[in-house]
């Protein structure tokens, strides 16, 4: 604490202005807000809009296509998007596509989260699908599934309130369990969680899966029955 106090004393918080007998204080420049805060401020000024249309999830999540995809806005009530390969905010426009149903469910999830957990970090939405579906490609940034607009990845809420990468050592178990339960309540057909996470749900819907200790994989059923 003493070091912090000395450092603070050395930082000029005001400057003299004017001649003798005329003293004025000039405030120091405001600090640049973190990326998440800048995106939140942007969300307050940019109208939130989704162009919904009839979508078709063709084929399988691991071998399929997306027809008439709907794009999730980069930020919205209760959520933000991120690139899982770099943690950049927001996620690229070409990785935020899904069926009409998936996007509606994510928007509803964010709205519920904002109302129910107003003081918690927002939900981080990672990769969904490409505009026309198919493989993302690449060994690191690719996905086995996510090919027909039914899947999305969600960050684990952190217990320190930071909107950023999380793992078994930093996640908030209570908040994350609430998120898993809500996904099931909204009709998710699959919720994959990391084997090191203490998360539970109905058998056949919620279950452990390798390489998911830092995010949740959610799938909502295909609305027209052509995908799985």
């Amino acid at each position: 604490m003493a070091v912090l106090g000395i450092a603070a004393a050395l930082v000029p918080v005001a400057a003299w202005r004017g001649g003798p007998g005329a003293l004025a204080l000039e405030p120091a420049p405001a600090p640049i807000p973190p990326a998440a805060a800048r995106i939140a401020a942007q969300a307050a000024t940019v109208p939130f809009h989704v162009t919904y249309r009839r979508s078709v999830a063709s084929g399988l999540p691991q071998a399929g296509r997306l027809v008439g995809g709907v794009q999730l806005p980069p930020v919205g009530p209760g959520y933000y998007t991120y690139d899982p390969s770099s943690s950049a905010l927001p996620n690229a426009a070409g990785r935020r596509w899904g069926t009409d149903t998936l996007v509606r469910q994510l928007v509803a999830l964010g709205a519920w989260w904002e109302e129910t957990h107003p003081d918690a970090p927002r939900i981080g939405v990672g990769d969904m699908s490409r505009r026309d579906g198919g493989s993302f490609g690449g060994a690191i940034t690719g996905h086995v599934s996510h090919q027909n607009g039914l899947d999305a990845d969600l960050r684990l809420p952190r217990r320190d309130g930071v909107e950023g990468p999380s793992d078994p050592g930093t996640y908030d178990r209570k908040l994350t369990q609430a998120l898993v339960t809500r996904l099931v309540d909204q009709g998710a057909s699959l919720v994959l969680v990391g084997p090191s996470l203490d998360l539970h749900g109905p058998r056949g819907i919620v279950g452990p899966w390798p390489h998911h200790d830092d995010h949740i994989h959610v799938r909502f059923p295909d609305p027209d029955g052509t995908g799985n």
Side-chain angles (χ1 to χ4, degrees):
M1 295 299 293
V3 173
L4 291 177
I6 294 173
L10 295 176
V11 176
V13 297
W16 296 106
R17 186 173 60 191
L23 174 63
L25 293 178
E26 182 177 330
I32 299 175
R38 293 199 299 272
I39 288 181
Q42 179 187 27
T45 59
V46 177
F48 178 78
H49 177 72
V50 182
T51 302
Y52 291 107
R53 61 176 70 96
R54 181 179 181 274
S55 305
V56 176
S58 177
L60 302 173
Q62 66 271 23
R65 305 293 294 176
L66 174 61
V67 180
V70 177
Q71 187 182 51
L72 181 74
V75 64
Y79 80 88
Y80 66 98
T81 63
Y82 70 97
D83 184 330
S85 64
S86 65
S87 293
L89 306 177
N91 199 4
R95 306 176 78 93
R96 293 186 274 109
W97 294 84
T99 61
D100 170 279
T101 295
L102 176 64
V103 174
R104 289 185 187 276
Q105 292 286 4
L106 292 176
V107 170
L109 180 70
W112 169 81
W113 188 261
E114 183 176 72
E115 179 179 357
T116 309
H117 304 284
D119 298 324
R122 296 171 299 167
I123 296 172
V125 180
D127 281 345
M128 296 166 60
S129 291
R130 298 172 62 197
R131 180 169 186 165
D132 298 317
S135 173
F136 275 94
I140 298 177
T141 60
H143 301 275
V144 174
S145 57
H146 289 260
Q147 293 197 27
N148 65 349
L150 301 178
D151 300 319
D153 288 339
L154 309 176
R155 264 181 176 160
L156 313 175
R158 291 173 56 126
R159 60 174 174 266
D160 60 5
V162 172
E163 294 179 345
S166 189
D167 56 42
T170 60
Y171 87 117
D172 187 308
R173 196 205 69 80
K174 184 176 180 180
L175 281 177
T176 309
Q177 181 62 59
L179 179 57
V180 169
T181 301
R182 181 64 183 185
L183 290 169
V184 174
D185 290 346
Q186 286 190 200
S189 59
L190 182 67
V191 180
L192 300 178
V193 299
S196 299
L197 304 176
D198 183 19
L199 302 171
H200 309 281
R203 182 173 297 181
I205 298 178
V206 179
W209 199 255
H211 310 300
H212 282 66
D213 277 339
D214 62 348
H215 71 281
I216 296 169
H217 178 107
V218 60
R219 177 176 300 158
F220 283 94
D222 180 20
D224 61 13
T226 59
N228 291 296

